[in-house]
Amino acid sequence: MEDVINYLRKVRRGAMFVIEGPSGTGKGTVIKEILARDPHIKFSVSVTTRAPRSNEQNGVDYYFISDAEYDRLRDEDAFYEYVDSQYGNRYGTLRSEVDSFINVGEDVLFDLDWMGARQMKEKAGADVVTIYLLPPSIKEVRRRLEGRGTDSREVIEKRMDMVLEKISHWSEFDYVVVNAELEDTVEKIRRIISGERMKRVRQLTGLQTLVDELVKEGEALRRA
């Protein structure tokens, strides 16, 4: 039986898990915990046209590319999703980067906003699973943002102004989790991931092979 389980794990199709939530919801911490606990899920490395910061590595934090290269990739439909602005930094998720994982049964985790999640759904369909993190209260969002100690008062107010607009898109997502307590939230999302991995659409190749073997075995026993 263990051989069968290992076989199905190897031949299944991976999934794309998108996690979204407004600033102060704890999204970054949740993502780090999931990646640390699950060796079969990878974090998507995006491309960007901005310059790398002193502590960032190409191919680890981002793929740093020129505007000309970004334009070429966009025109070739090489992105699953992208933010195409001529007036600021531009970002995109490479199809080739993601497909190299999901085609061999590895899952990919994305930190995207609702616009990116919508693009992913449009282009990748059933391969995409979207999860929205809601805060337990707006007061808690402010408390978390102020507790970071990294943003000015002005930046915090701008982030707070965006919270309600971002929350208005919660119903577009497949799952919604209220992040009141970190451990509970992480375990809920891990259960979502586990359930999605078991869906028939992600195991068609392996399941068909297994069913064929079961039928062959059954017919042989019937003839014996």
Side-chain angles (χ1 to χ4, degrees):
M1 178 59 72
E2 188 64 29
D3 289 343
V4 173
I5 293 172
N6 287 334
Y7 170 74
L8 290 174
R9 183 182 295 121
K10 290 177 182 178
V11 299
R12 78 172 183 87
R13 183 169 178 78
M16 309 176 192
F17 293 95
V18 177
I19 297 183
E20 155 70 320
S23 295
T25 309
K27 178 175 60 172
T29 302
V30 168
I31 288 174
K32 287 179 182 178
E33 286 296 317
I34 292 169
L35 291 171
R37 301 183 195 193
D38 191 337
H40 297 293
I41 193 163
K42 313 298 181 184
F43 189 70
S44 172
V45 179
S46 301
V47 303
T48 182
T49 58
R50 73 165 172 78
R53 300 187 179 109
S54 59
N55 62 335
E56 292 179 328
Q57 298 179 45
N58 187 52
V60 176
D61 299 285
Y62 289 97
Y63 294 110
F64 297 97
I65 62 175
S66 66
D67 278 299
E69 177 69 1
Y70 179 96
D71 289 337
R72 181 185 68 78
L73 291 168
R74 180 201 58 201
D75 294 343
E76 292 176 356
D77 195 26
F79 295 131
Y80 269 123
E81 62 83 32
Y82 62 90
V83 179
D84 188 8
S85 170
Q86 298 291 337
Y87 306 102
N89 300 320
R90 305 154 84 189
Y91 299 85
T93 299
L94 287 170
R95 290 176 182 265
S96 57
E97 171 81 4
V98 177
D99 290 349
S100 68
F101 292 120
I102 67 169
N103 288 338
V104 295
E106 296 287 343
D107 302 310
V108 185
L109 190 62
F110 301 83
D111 178 356
L112 299 175
D113 63 14
W114 63 269
M115 291 179 286
R118 183 181 288 177
Q119 288 184 60
M120 292 285 286
K121 277 283 192 181
E122 290 173 352
K123 291 190 176 181
D127 283 335
V128 181
V129 180
T130 56
I131 304 167
Y132 198 91
L133 286 184
L134 283 173
S137 70
I138 300 301
K139 288 182 180 179
E140 178 63 14
V141 171
R142 179 177 288 277
R143 187 192 70 78
R144 291 174 181 176
L145 289 176
E146 292 175 345
R148 289 176 181 176
T150 57
D151 295 327
S152 66
R153 174 63 57 182
E154 181 182 8
V155 170
I156 289 174
E157 292 305 323
K158 286 182 178 179
R159 293 187 185 278
M160 290 300 300
D161 288 341
M162 295 174 62
V163 168
L164 293 182
E165 192 280 329
K166 294 197 74 172
I167 286 177
S168 69
H169 295 278
W170 70 272
S171 61
E172 298 179 27
F173 287 71
D174 300 316
Y175 298 91
V176 179
V177 178
V178 178
N179 186 23
E181 196 278 317
L182 177 62
E183 187 63 27
D184 179 62
T185 297
V186 171
E187 286 308 307
K188 284 178 179 176
I189 294 177
R190 292 188 71 198
R191 288 197 292 271
I192 290 170
I193 292 171
S194 179
E196 287 289 335
R197 283 171 171 164
M198 294 300 296
K199 281 190 172 179
R200 179 177 56 82
V201 69
R202 307 194 204 293
Q203 302 190 72
L204 284 177
T205 301
L207 286 176
Q208 187 61 62
T209 301
L210 175 60
V211 169
D212 290 344
E213 289 297 321
L214 291 173
V215 170
K216 185 186 300 182
E217 180 184 4
E219 291 175 344
L221 288 173
R222 191 161 51 187
R223 290 193 300 268

